[in-house]
């Protein structure tokens, strides 16, 4: 299914590249919703933005702890466009469709590493961000999720060649990257877990070579080694692409 991107929600901690990206979306006629510091950054740079608080009718509250946790936001992301009940509820409660979500997480690990006060660390525990990412990835049948600034140019290139639209395959790829990043980062950002993972891989390879492959012919052994090598290259590519998430 090909979906046009008409409305985007942007809320990022890392502002690198977000202004240029938002300007390109604006040029494509995409309505941009945003929150807090991101909205200010975009407005100061001349990008047309609607504050999420104006969109929902509720102000950001509790010193920014509650910004996007609202049915008008999550309903716009999670609704199934081919589900009659969802469509009817969208109309009943006047919930517009959100086609694109651009969100990253608070720099929690960097805050911990800086030996910041406990309360500062607590405030960097992300609630809305991870909820938005998981919601958009869950509903990738209809919604695009970007969880890294490294994906901005990829999406713009697709929109340019596909007349402002994305395919299901495009959306599935971005969703897979979102899930992969956060699953892998939970393991790879900690040295001890990374060492355990490498040790486990080593044990599996030893067993594969010495036991499971002992009776295999040379061609099959070669295919297995090529497959393992490609797997390791793929993991290394993901790590390098999202290195900042693992630090």
């Amino acid at each position: 299914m090909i979906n046009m991107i008409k409305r985007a929600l942007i809320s990022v901690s890392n502002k690198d590249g977000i202004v240029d990206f938002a300007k390109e979306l604006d040029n494509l006629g995409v309505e941009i919703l945003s929150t807090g510091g991101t909205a200010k950054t975009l407005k100061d740079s001349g990008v047309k933005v609607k504050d999420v608080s104006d969109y929902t009718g509720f102000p950001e509250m509790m010193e920014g702890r509650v910004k996007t946790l609202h049915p008008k936001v999550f309903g716009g992301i999670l609704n199934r466009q081919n589900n009659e009940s969802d469509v009817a509820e969208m109309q009943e409660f006047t919930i517009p469709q959100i086609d694109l979500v651009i969100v990253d997480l608070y720099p929690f690990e960097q805050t911990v590493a800086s030996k910041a006060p406990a309360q500062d660390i607590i405030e960097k525990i992300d609630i809305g961000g991870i909820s938005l990412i998981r919601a958009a990835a869950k509903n990738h049948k209809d919604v695009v999720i970007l969880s890294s600034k490294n994906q901005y140019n990829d999406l713009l290139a697709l929109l340019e060649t596909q007349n402002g639209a994305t395919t299901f395959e495009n959306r599935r790829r971005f969703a897979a990257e979102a899930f992969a990043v956060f699953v892998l980062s939970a393991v790879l950002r900690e040295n001890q877990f990374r060492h355990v993972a490498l040790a486990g891989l080593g044990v599996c390879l030893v067993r594969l070579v010495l036991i499971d492959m002992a009776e295999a012919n040379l061609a099959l052994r070669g295919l297995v080694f090529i497959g393992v090598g490609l797997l390791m290259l793929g993991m290394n590519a993901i790590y390098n692409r999202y290195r900042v998430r693992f630090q």
Side-chain angles (χ1 to χ4, degrees):
M1 178 185 292
I2 294 178
N3 284 6
M4 297 295 294
I5 293 181
K6 299 177 182 178
R7 184 175 293 104
L9 171 62
I10 305 179
S11 183
V12 293
S13 292
N14 187 339
K15 307 297 191 296
D16 291 349
I18 195 61
V19 170
D20 290 339
F21 177 66
K23 285 182 177 179
E24 292 295 331
L25 293 180
D26 188 26
N27 291 337
L28 290 170
V30 177
E31 179 185 4
I32 297 175
L33 310 175
S34 192
T35 63
T38 305
K40 184 178 185 306
T41 297
L42 296 179
K43 288 178 180 178
D44 289 348
S45 300
V47 180
K48 290 183 292 187
V49 174
K50 177 180 285 188
D51 286 293
V52 166
S53 57
D54 294 332
Y55 172 75
T56 62
F58 279 82
E60 295 182 13
M61 57 184 66
M62 301 174 189
E63 298 182 344
R65 283 189 167 198
V66 180
K67 299 177 183 176
T68 57
L69 298 170
H70 190 281
K72 200 168 182 179
V73 173
F74 280 87
I77 295 170
L78 283 166
N79 76 91
R80 294 158 293 185
Q81 295 182 30
N82 64 346
N83 183 290
E84 292 183 3
S85 176
D86 286 10
V87 172
E89 289 182 329
M90 293 275 284
Q91 294 174 347
E92 178 182 358
F93 296 104
T94 318
I95 300 176
Q97 174 69 35
I98 295 176
D99 310 293
L100 169 62
V101 176
I102 305 103
V103 178
D104 62 10
L105 300 184
Y106 293 150
F108 180 76
E109 292 81 11
Q110 292 92 323
T111 305
V112 173
S114 71
K115 303 187 186 304
Q119 189 57 41
D120 290 350
I121 293 174
I122 288 173
E123 293 305 321
K124 293 301 181 184
I125 297 174
D126 210 310
I127 305 298
I130 190 62
S131 299
L132 288 168
I133 290 171
R134 294 178 68 173
K138 176 177 181 175
N139 200 31
H140 65 273
K141 183 175 182 295
D142 297 313
V143 180
V144 179
I145 172 63
L146 300 187
S147 55
S148 168
K149 62 185 179 68
N150 296 320
Q151 298 169 315
Y152 297 167
N153 289 335
D154 293 346
L155 178 61
L156 290 177
L158 291 172
L159 296 180
E160 182 177 353
T161 58
Q162 296 170 177
N163 297 317
T166 61
T167 66
F168 173 71
E169 289 73 22
N170 300 152
R171 298 189 294 276
R172 180 171 58 184
R173 176 170 67 84
F174 286 124
E177 289 186 16
F179 281 127
V181 165
F182 294 108
V183 170
L184 287 174
S185 67
V187 176
L188 296 180
R189 70 162 60 100
E190 297 294 342
N191 284 331
Q192 61 268 34
F193 292 145
R194 188 154 57 238
H195 295 155
V196 168
L198 290 173
L201 178 61
V203 170
C204 290
L205 288 175
V206 170
R207 175 189 166 84
L208 181 68
V209 173
L210 298 183
I211 300 176
D212 299 322
M213 298 295 295
E215 304 299 324
N217 59 43
L218 185 61
L220 181 56
R221 292 183 185 182
L223 288 174
V224 169
F225 277 107
I226 291 173
V228 171
L230 291 174
L231 175 63
M232 296 182 72
L233 285 173
M235 291 177 65
N236 186 62
I238 292 174
Y239 178 82
N240 286 331
R241 181 177 176 86
Y242 302 103
R243 181 184 298 273
V244 68
R245 297 287 184 85
F246 306 138
Q247 294 175 344

